[in-house]
Amino acid sequence: MAAPPTTTAGTHNQPDDGTWSTPAPQLLCDTRALTALAAAPAGQLWRLPVPGSELDAGISHLLPGQRVNPHTEEDPDTLLLILAGDATVATRHGPQHLTEGTLLWLPRGSTAGLTAGENGLSCLTVHRRPPGTPTHRTQQSPPRQPPDASSAPPGAAHSDWPKWLC
């Protein structure tokens, strides 16, 4: 008698009754439509709407020249994928230019700042959801907007953008 097929860890088998015991993959959004630079408003364009997910993800847009001041990543590691436009990231190793398709890893404890290029920047951030954060936002929740630079003290403009961007 042949041995039963093996499965990869994390893979779920179809039960005998033909139904699946785990959630099905689902299409979430069209990133090209969301990030059309000419039409994209500054702010968060999309957020992962999956209740109970261990991941937090969002797509955000910065207008040309807008920046996230250097800050230290205190939450879990973050991946940042440039979907459209470009940016310069300031790190302790100097500035690095990021273009469409660039994937940047921001490890926990690292310090970096981000400045959108002349065409603006749309990016996807993905990280593990910090303990105690809501598992999803309701569809009625308005997208988070970047802080109003005019209300910030000189030199402190955009200092809380890391929470808005990620």
Side-chain angles (χ1 to χ4, degrees), residues 28-32 34-35 43-49 55-62 78-84 98-106 114 121-127 164-166:
L28 296 173
C29 69
D30 178 347
T31 62
R32 289 183 186 167
L34 280 175
T35 61
Q44 191 172 66
L45 305 176
W46 175 85
R47 188 127 192 126
L48 183 65
L55 288 179
D56 194 7
I59 296 175
S60 299
H61 181 70
L62 297 175
T78 299
L79 291 176
L80 185 142
L81 175 63
I82 307 302
L83 298 172
L98 309 175
T99 58
E100 186 174 325
T102 303
L103 181 62
L104 178 68
W105 174 43
L106 298 163
L114 188 71
L121 168 72
S122 291
C123 59
L124 168 70
T125 57
V126 180
H127 56 88
W164 164 77
L165 185 64
C166 300

Side-chain angles (χ1 to χ4, degrees), residues 15-111:
D16 293 338
D17 67 0
T19 61
W20 290 94
S21 60
T22 60
Q26 56 185 292
L27 243 164
L28 296 173
C29 69
D30 178 347
T31 62
R32 289 183 186 167
L34 280 175
T35 61
L37 289 176
Q44 191 172 66
L45 305 176
W46 175 85
R47 188 127 192 126
L48 183 65
V50 182
S53 173
E54 291 181 2
L55 288 179
D56 194 7
I59 296 175
S60 299
H61 181 70
L62 297 175
L63 297 175
Q66 286 186 323
R67 62 191 172 105
V68 175
N69 284 338
H71 66 285
T72 300
E73 289 294 325
E74 296 176 10
D75 289 329
D77 296 356
T78 299
L79 291 176
L80 185 142
L81 175 63
I82 307 302
L83 298 172
D86 66 306
T88 299
V89 63
T91 71
R92 67 180 183 176
H93 301 293
Q96 296 180 25
H97 189 69
L98 309 175
T99 58
E100 186 174 325
T102 303
L103 181 62
L104 178 68
W105 174 43
L106 298 163
R108 182 176 188 212
S110 66
T111 299

Side-chain angles (χ1 to χ4, degrees), residues 141-154:
S141 300
R144 291 187 289 178
Q145 295 299 310
D148 180 5
S150 63
S151 65

